[in-house]
Amino acid sequence: MKCARCLLQLQCLTLVGQSARPAAQYGTLLQSASSSQLNVLHKTQHQVLRRFHGSPACAKSRPVRAEVINEDNKKGDGSLVTYDNLFEQVTKEAQTKATFIKVVNVFLKRDVRRRGHVEFIYAALKKMPEFGVERDLEVYNKLLDIFPKEVFVPVNFVQRMFNHYPRQQECGVQILEQMENYGIMPNIETKVLLVQIFGLKGHPMRKYQRIMYWFPKFKHINPFPIPQQLPEDPVDLARLSLTRIANDRDAKVIVYQLPCTDITESGEEVTLPHVIGIQSPSQMELLAKHNPSKPVFVEGPFPLWLRKTCVYYYILRADPTPPEEKIEEPYDPERCFFYPLQLDLDLDRDMGEEESFDVEDLDEGPVFAMCMTSRGDEATLNQWISGLQQNNPILGQVPTLFRLDAGPKELQGAADSESGHDHHQRPDPETQREERQTEKEIVEEELQRRSRGMKQ
Amino acid sequence: MSLPTITRLPSARLLSSLLLHHQHHLLLPSIAPLTVPTRLIHAEYRRPGKPKENLWQKINIDFSKGMKGIKKNFTLLKNEFFDRWVGPEGKPILEHMLEQNRVVWEFRGPESLEHWTLSSDREVGGQSEVYLKLGKNSNTCFLYGTLNCTPPRDGETRYSGYCTMRSKQPLASFDRKKHHDWSSFNTLHLRVRGDGRPWMINLATETYFSHQKDDIYSYFLYTRGGPYWQDVKIPFSKFFLAYRGRIHDTQHPLWVDKVNTIGFTLGDKANGPFQLEIDFIGVCKDYAHTEECAYEMYKRNPEV
């Protein structure tokens, strides 16, 4: 029923278009009385030609650039037409939406019968990411508009039974598939075009119906949505990603250092990396309870993907407390007056089974804070730790170890090549060695302590 | 003189060819179910230009292997026989009826990784890599690698870039198929830690016809990223039926009692390293959830 309504609308549109066209012509005639007559002739000629299988959507806008058309005609003559050429000629200019649409218009002007439109559409689909128009619904509709209208619509039952104009239908499906791959939902204009081109029950129409059924179902399915346009500023990006991974409304983002470029007295340029950290009250509580004789570790970099960009973060954590040191805290009975927090019931298996898991209690040990920085060396991270120390005085007593070579190695290697804005530097081998040495020393110290404890 | 020889020759040849053909047919079914059950029915995907493999080279005839097989299969048979006397699936009936959670896959040592198979688009000529290892405390599984979306230059493949981990089909004694029976549960429960990339969970169920073997029920697994674990509960009713990446027009509820494999697929078109850590994969019963299938089944979509 909807389709029928669309068609009705469409017919009205065509009627309006037809009635409007002569008026427009007169208008142009009147206007161009002052301008050159040639141009007018050219235009009217074109409109007369285009009435053959023309669509209302196309008749609306038609920028004319005579020089471009002439150029292409010259080059296209006498050789096998490859439609990539059309795009590659334009690539010398700017690759924008305007130029892309210009190329499509050039193709439309070439031939009334749109000869070779399937090949042209395939070439255009391939070039879309280059021009940065792969997420533009208008451009897809423009591509669909290239198909001649009402030629491929089956008229009798034999045509309807068999695959009518299979190449063209495949091409139409391919356009829709590319839209699907980029997650673009077609609109009513797409539907009208498809009905005009392939009829109500063609394969492209089916594809359109499938997209329209499934896309709204899966539209808001991501429980952790990421904005389509990530913030350009690395500080904002770090803020976004840290609040994402912290998963705590109470967590506070603290900017320890903003990125800035200083020129020292000797004339050297010093770029200071940004250091942004996040810590929630529960993490502060955990850190306050931490046994000061045990070291805490700064680890990283760990990758985090936000759509197609990868950022890296560092964490401050400790080793898990061994089970003999864990203190079971008794529930405060006054914490909740409405229902008891502790029940001592003797129920059968499964009824009293724990169904909830404590997310913060990691097997690898508690996480105390997280940070992101553009430079992952020890000096920068030290700045973070000293910043943390203001709110967590215990960090002054606890030995802090840097384990920056932790984690899978291939992640680090990719860090340099992958992220455009996040120039992560590998820690120097010397500092690594030092770290290891300090680690060893501390381990030895610990061993000594333990042995002393045993003696005592 | 010449006529009978002429007539005889073709007949003899025909007979021999028939015999050969017959032998082939006789041999295949007797060996096929024991060694490679699915291969012979349906050929695996073969890349264009790749030579055909000789199946017979893969078959390894070894006495010790045979003994191992006998031992394994007979212990399985014994267990199957005696477990019945205890209750369904070797559990007492009360436990079976009251069960609300069941951990199906967990990772406690290197032998638990053998229940999984890895695959990536290497099989179609891509360049992605995927590896599996135990996590830091060796009680989780750590799936990592790099995704590369460059399609192979064979002129046929249009898209590329996926990495998959899939569990192996459970087998009863003598390599008979066994299925996971989760009919008393309605939710899939996972505990994962990812890096922010979206994954897809695929449940493959037993199918009636062999052409349905690629019919897979899928749903999305979104990871948050970061150092914290994430509990994911996905009702079985949410899984939608798809065939080789295309969603079926007619949807069916998942056959919960005939689940063969579970798989995790990454294909988000972002080139680069990825990681996913899985603590356990289980099923649970959510009493608040009563939905049978989340998608319309009363009409075909799109309507014909």
Side-chain angles (χ1 to χ4, degrees), chain A residues 174 177 181 201 206-207 209-210 213-214 217-218 221-224 244-247 283 299 303-305 307-308 313 315 317 349-351 353 355 357-360 362-364 367 370 408 410-411 414 418, chain B residues 95 98-101 136-137 139 142 144 158-159 189 191 193 195-197 219-220 222-231 240 246-247 249 251 268-273 275 280 295-296 301-304:
Chain A
Q174 193 57 42
E177 194 173 308
N181 285 345
K201 292 196 172 178
R206 289 262 175 268
K207 179 86 189 167
Q209 285 170 326
R210 283 180 189 123
Y213 180 77
W214 289 106
K217 280 199 188 307
F218 297 148
I221 214 167
N222 192 346
F224 322 112
R244 180 183 160 89
I245 61 177
N247 190 16
Q283 282 173 337
E299 284 188 2
L304 171 73
W305 283 89
R307 281 190 201 274
K308 304 217 165 165
Y313 63 91
I315 57 171
R317 51 155 282 235
R349 197 192 117 83
D350 247 334
M351 300 299 273
E353 213 169 53
E355 282 201 344
F357 299 90
D358 190 5
V359 177
E360 293 231 333
L362 298 180
D363 294 337
E364 296 84 26
V367 175
M370 289 170 276
E410 56 267 12
L411 296 181
E418 266 301 310
Chain B
E95 196 176 308
L98 289 176
E99 201 175 19
Q100 290 181 21
N101 299 301
K136 254 185 200 167
N137 291 1
N139 56 6
F142 192 75
Y144 64 102
R158 278 187 299 167
Y159 311 116
H189 189 174
R191 195 161 138 91
R193 178 161 65 176
D195 57 351
R197 287 199 182 210
Y219 200 69
F220 312 100
Y222 289 99
T223 57
R224 178 183 275 282
Y228 291 122
W229 288 97
Q230 171 188 354
D231 278 299
F240 57 86
R246 314 258 172 204
I247 306 176
D249 286 347
Q251 293 293 317
D268 65 346
K269 291 176 194 158
N271 290 348
Q275 59 183 50
F280 65 81
Y295 311 103
E296 284 103 329
N301 163 63
E303 252 176 305
V304 181

Side-chain angles (χ1 to χ4, degrees), chain B residues 220-276:
Chain B
F220 312 100
L221 169 71
Y222 289 99
T223 57
R224 178 183 275 282
Y228 291 122
W229 288 97
Q230 171 188 354
D231 278 299
V232 185
K233 279 187 181 181
I234 303 171
F236 289 133
S237 66
K238 297 271 183 195
F239 281 84
F240 57 86
L241 182 58
Y243 173 83
R244 299 193 181 176
R246 314 258 172 204
I247 306 176
H248 264 276
D249 286 347
T250 46
Q251 293 293 317
H252 301 279
L254 179 79
W255 282 1
V256 189
D257 58 333
K258 289 234 184 290
V259 176
N260 280 342
T261 62
I262 189 172
F264 296 88
T265 306
L266 176 77
D268 65 346
K269 291 176 194 158
N271 290 348
F274 65 86
Q275 59 183 50
L276 179 76

Side-chain angles (χ1 to χ4, degrees), chain B:
Chain B
M1 276 303 287
S2 63
L3 254 178
T5 51
I6 288 165
T7 45
R8 232 175 269 154
L9 256 176
S11 66
R13 214 175 272 167
L14 200 77
L15 198 71
S16 67
S17 69
L18 252 180
L19 264 177
L20 265 177
H21 208 69
H22 218 72
Q23 270 180 354
H24 227 69
H25 263 284
L26 276 179
L27 271 176
L28 285 184
S30 63
I31 289 169
L34 280 179
T35 50
V36 263
T38 51
R39 285 271 162 92
L40 292 182
I41 305 162
H42 254 282
E44 293 289 298
Y45 174 75
R46 194 162 56 85
R47 276 195 67 201
K50 198 178 153 197
K52 258 191 184 174
E53 288 176 348
N54 187 6
L55 257 185
W56 292 100
Q57 279 178 353
K58 280 190 177 177
I59 293 169
N60 169 21
I61 300 167
D62 192 10
F63 183 72
S64 63
K65 192 188 153 203
M67 287 308 291
K68 255 185 221 163
I70 287 172
K71 202 178 158 191
K72 187 192 93 186
N73 285 318
F74 276 95
T75 41
L76 278 175
L77 188 67
K78 194 193 84 189
N79 288 342
E80 268 168 49
F81 187 75
F82 287 108
D83 279 353
R84 297 253 171 106
W85 298 102
V86 183
E89 291 175 38
K91 283 178 215 155
I93 186 77
L94 200 67
E95 196 176 308
H96 178 80
M97 283 167 70
L98 289 176
E99 201 175 19
Q100 290 181 21
N101 299 301
R102 186 195 290 172
V103 174
V104 188
W105 287 280
E106 56 181 351
F107 304 92
R108 298 278 180 275
E111 66 279 353
S112 58
L113 297 184
E114 285 164 18
H115 299 297
W116 297 88
T117 47
L118 297 176
S119 70
S120 69
D121 58 11
R122 280 275 157 101
E123 292 177 10
V124 296
Q127 293 154 32
S128 302
E129 289 167 29
V130 60
Y131 307 100
L132 184 68
K133 67 175 184 192
L134 280 177
K136 254 185 200 167
N137 291 1
S138 78
N139 56 6
T140 55
C141 102
F142 192 75
L143 184 68
Y144 64 102
T146 40
L147 193 74
N148 196 329
C149 294
T150 327
R153 308 186 62 179
D154 57 5
E156 289 189 17
T157 317
R158 278 187 299 167
Y159 311 116
S160 176
Y162 69 87
C163 290
T164 302
M165 179 172 89
R166 194 174 184 180
S167 72
K168 281 181 185 163
Q169 158 105 44
L171 293 174
S173 58
F174 302 106
D175 287 351
R176 286 172 299 130
K177 272 188 183 178
K178 207 167 74 177
H179 317 289
H180 293 286
D181 185 0
W182 298 338
S183 42
S184 48
F185 309 99
N186 63 1
T187 307
L188 189 73
H189 189 174
L190 308 151
R191 195 161 138 91
V192 296
R193 178 161 65 176
D195 57 351
R197 287 199 182 210
W199 288 73
M200 187 161 246
I201 299 180
N202 302 311
L203 287 175
T205 55
E206 181 62 22
T207 49
Y208 192 80
F209 297 108
S210 63
H211 71 258
Q212 294 169 327
K213 78 177 171 94
D214 289 337
D215 281 7
I216 273 176
Y217 291 87
S218 323
Y219 200 69
F220 312 100
L221 169 71
Y222 289 99
T223 57
R224 178 183 275 282
Y228 291 122
W229 288 97
Q230 171 188 354
D231 278 299
V232 185
K233 279 187 181 181
I234 303 171
F236 289 133
S237 66
K238 297 271 183 195
F239 281 84
F240 57 86
L241 182 58
Y243 173 83
R244 299 193 181 176
R246 314 258 172 204
I247 306 176
H248 264 276
D249 286 347
T250 46
Q251 293 293 317
H252 301 279
L254 179 79
W255 282 1
V256 189
D257 58 333
K258 289 234 184 290
V259 176
N260 280 342
T261 62
I262 189 172
F264 296 88
T265 306
L266 176 77
D268 65 346
K269 291 176 194 158
N271 290 348
F274 65 86
Q275 59 183 50
L276 179 76
E277 206 169 346
I278 303 173
D279 190 0
F280 65 81
I281 302 161
V283 283
C284 67
K285 174 108 183 141
D286 184 0
Y287 288 102
H289 189 85
T290 52
E291 196 177 46
E292 180 90 353
C293 183
Y295 311 103
E296 284 103 329
M297 291 184 297
Y298 52 85
K299 68 169 188 184
R300 195 171 162 257
N301 163 63
E303 252 176 305
V304 181

